[in-house]
Amino acid sequence: MSLLQISEPGGRPVRRTARKRAAGIDLGTTNSLIATDVDGEVLTLADADGAHLLPSAVHYRADGATVVGAAAKAQAVADPANVIVSVKRALGKSLDELTDSGDYRQYRFDPECDPASPAFITSMGVRNPAEVSADILRTLVLRAEARTGEAVEGAVITVPAYFNDAQRQQTRLAASLAGINVLRLLNEPTAAAVAYGLDTEEQGNIIVFDLGGGTFDVSLLSLQKGVFEVLATGGDTALGGDDFDRAVAAWLAEQCGLGGMESIAARDYPALLQAANRAREALSEAEQAELSWNGASFTLTAAEFAELAAPLVRRTMLACRRVLRDARMETSAIDNVLLVGGATRMPLIRRAVADYFGREPLQDIDPDRVVAIGAGIQAEVLVGNKPAGDFLLLDVNPLSLGIETMGELVEKIIHRNTSIPVSKSQEFTTFKDGQTAMALHVVQGERELVSECRSLARFSLGGIPPMVAGAAKVKVTFQVDADGLLSVSAEEASTGCKAEVQVKPSYGLDLDQVEQMLKDSHEHARADMAARALREARLEATRLTEAIVAAFDVDGELLEAAERAVIDRALHALRQAMAEENAALIEERTEQLNHASESFAERRMNMTVGAALRGESIDAIDERTE
Ligand code: ADP
Ligand code: MG
């Protein structure tokens, strides 16, 4: 199976195009990199000083110069308000989210700005997160152009797997501000797998464990002869090396008698974090590290650090467990674990990962560079420099998508963690006789009841020819494309009348919300199933009682008094059951009423058919028999 049609049926020749300069960009919270083809191999590029990692820091200087990278980061302590760091975390966030998080306490935000799209006040004027990101992207592209002597014609830019639509749009906006043609946004763990998938012969199930500065992604991929598929993803958009730094900074503040982190002056905060970061990175190589603050020195041992870090490490392990559970897989089914992101250099992370999965993680490719390299390889394929070969790149749908059915129930059409792109159809029908329109409500979530899911869109299908309830055939198709965009269409079979809607399922949803929805669905699974059964039973009972009452009105004279009494008794018993919370009882009495009214229904059916035949015009019969 291949998603890419290489040649058309009939075997017409495919024109060969000249090579295009393509690049892969890892736009990181802490560090960013660019990779491109160098003599037939995709490699990350270094700056003039030999550094591959570009610190994701931008200094807007009072003299009007924009400085990006290590030189900017070095000024973070001296000029905290004008050196923007960790801007990736601000992409797609509201002003409240930024001020509440505490990550951006050293900055001032423009009071005039739309709270939905906040902007930093710098000595060079107001800059929003997309503009700051654009300065980083531009620096990387200039690096590639200087090194290769060619213009970069297209780039693949990576984003965390759980970036929502707003965050992805902001990333695209940043690229367009930097004048970059975006070939595709690619999830970071997927990019890492691309790098490994093509560089090695590995097969089997692979966990990509990516702990960077600000985000944590864990993905489960299945790799078979160069074909790989993302089976499940999870993680935390607010967990990374920065959090380990904050834990050490809090410890340092306590040692200095500064009190809690809240009481530290905003201008001291970056320096405190830098001291913590240096000590933490030193602990990757040594058993203890020295920290000094205001002239006083402190020693942090690896054991003490392990204690401070334990809650964070535990969070990464819980995310791994969830991903495996989603895929219904045991750790024993995992063949390889890839470490990605600078923070996986911490020995305690490596140990925890090795312990949990029962094997040593792979680290053949530099964990700092692997994402950019994978993005670079994908970019080469997308511009046509490299053949796509047989490999497919599949992502997954993070939450189930479905439709509201009668009784405010959810019918899931595309289940959570289904590989995308995907298209699935299901047939629905009308509930009432003569119903000519159908209201469609598209929802997202794992719960059984509509009220517990997220509403994505509503639309309606009109023009259904009047028929008896249950006779119309409406095919509802859900299609999710490679970018996660959902299209829903509904089509009535006999007339072909159609309605459709497009939605972005991830819009405005961040990882915490996704996680909360999953947690709720697990906690409520049993109760939800019971509630669903009850609603379905009541719905069927309502349909039947209404139909019988309507039939009494029209054809009541077909029944003898004794026959009528039997049906009335069954009707009464069912109505009593409907008032109770017992699905099984309702079902049983529905069945009894069905049975009691069987011969009445038969008699009516014969009458109706007879009437219809008698009422039919000769013309219509002729037409039908022609
Ligand atoms: P991002 O993808 O978020 O930009 P990176 O993959 O570049 O992040 O990882 C940055 C994180 O890696 C930082 O928190 C940094 O402190 C951490 N890091 C880098 N080298 C080491 C090391 N030797 N020991 C511990 N942490 C490290
Ligand atoms: Mg990263």
Side-chain angles (χ1 to χ4, degrees), residues 131-173:
E131 291 170 316
V132 179
S133 304
D135 285 326
I136 297 168
L137 291 170
R138 202 177 286 117
T139 306
L140 290 169
V141 168
L142 286 174
R143 179 191 290 184
E145 294 183 342
R147 170 74 192 266
T148 63
E150 288 172 18
V152 171
E153 292 189 47
V156 168
I157 301 178
T158 59
V159 291
Y162 272 97
F163 248 25
N164 66 26
D165 203 62
Q167 291 166 303
R168 285 170 200 261
Q169 267 166 10
Q170 289 288 304
T171 306
R172 281 186 182 275
L173 175 62

Side-chain angles (χ1 to χ4, degrees), residues 341-409:
T344 61
R345 291 219 164 83
M346 287 187 281
L348 54 86
I349 288 288
R350 300 197 155 189
R351 240 185 343 260
V353 171
D355 284 352
Y356 180 72
F357 290 101
R359 65 179 57 250
E360 283 305 313
L362 278 191
Q363 22 200 303
D364 309 357
I365 306 180
D366 186 335
D368 288 322
R369 302 187 198 178
V370 61
V371 168
I373 290 171
I377 292 169
Q378 184 68 15
E380 285 283 285
V381 171
L382 290 174
V383 297
N385 291 346
K386 252 191 172 60
D390 292 331
F391 85 87
L392 297 175
L393 201 53
L394 299 177
D395 279 322
V396 300
N397 174 46
L399 289 170
S400 299
L401 298 166
I403 203 114
E404 173 174 354
T405 57
M406 287 300 294
E408 286 160 34
L409 294 171

Side-chain angles (χ1 to χ4, degrees), residues 300-459:
L300 178 64
T301 66
E304 283 169 318
F305 173 56
E307 210 168 296
L308 298 174
L312 299 170
V313 176
R314 199 159 43 238
R315 276 166 67 190
T316 66
M317 291 304 132
L318 285 175
C320 291
R321 197 157 76 196
R322 253 216 23 235
V323 163
L324 288 183
R325 199 180 55 203
D326 281 345
R328 296 193 182 81
M329 217 177 256
E330 303 283 327
T331 51
S332 56
I334 302 301
D335 301 292
N336 272 305
V337 181
L338 310 188
L339 290 182
V340 177
T344 61
R345 291 219 164 83
M346 287 187 281
L348 54 86
I349 288 288
R350 300 197 155 189
R351 240 185 343 260
V353 171
D355 284 352
Y356 180 72
F357 290 101
R359 65 179 57 250
E360 283 305 313
L362 278 191
Q363 22 200 303
D364 309 357
I365 306 180
D366 186 335
D368 288 322
R369 302 187 198 178
V370 61
V371 168
I373 290 171
I377 292 169
Q378 184 68 15
E380 285 283 285
V381 171
L382 290 174
V383 297
N385 291 346
K386 252 191 172 60
D390 292 331
F391 85 87
L392 297 175
L393 201 53
L394 299 177
D395 279 322
V396 300
N397 174 46
L399 289 170
S400 299
L401 298 166
I403 203 114
E404 173 174 354
T405 57
M406 287 300 294
E408 286 160 34
L409 294 171
V410 177
E411 184 70 32
K412 288 174 192 152
I413 312 255
I414 295 180
H415 284 262
R416 148 178 174 69
N417 273 334
T418 303
S419 301
I420 58 171
V422 64
S423 172
K424 290 216 166 119
S425 297
Q426 196 156 316
E427 228 166 53
F428 292 90
T429 189
T430 46
F431 184 70
K432 287 219 155 83
D433 289 345
Q435 186 181 332
T436 56
M438 191 180 272
L440 294 125
H441 182 198
V442 183
V443 296
Q444 178 182 44
E446 308 312 308
R447 306 286 298 273
E448 300 288 335
L449 306 185
V450 167
S451 54
E452 311 287 352
C453 288
R454 269 182 97 226
S455 170
L456 292 180
R458 289 174 191 273
F459 67 110

Side-chain angles (χ1 to χ4, degrees), residues 16 36 39 50 107-108 115 119 151 158 175 187 197 199 209 215 250 264 273 298 320 405 410 426 442 603 622:
R16 267 199 63 164
T36 190
D39 302 328
Y107 306 120
R108 282 170 299 135
T158 59
N187 288 339
D199 288 357
F209 185 103
T215 54
I264 294 162
L273 280 179
F298 305 93
C320 291
T405 57
V410 177
Q426 196 156 316
V442 183
R603 246 175 281 168
D622 276 356

Side-chain angles (χ1 to χ4, degrees), residues 403-404 413 424-429 436-442 458-464 473-479 487-502:
I403 203 114
E404 173 174 354
I413 312 255
K424 290 216 166 119
S425 297
Q426 196 156 316
E427 228 166 53
F428 292 90
T429 189
T436 56
M438 191 180 272
L440 294 125
H441 182 198
V442 183
R458 289 174 191 273
F459 67 110
S460 87
L461 174 70
I464 302 173
K473 281 187 186 162
V474 175
K475 188 164 125 186
V476 174
T477 304
F478 274 55
Q479 192 173 350
S487 313
V488 180
S489 67
E491 186 175 356
E492 198 277 319
S494 68
T495 57
C497 64
K498 199 172 172 176
E500 60 192 319
V501 71
Q502 281 211 334

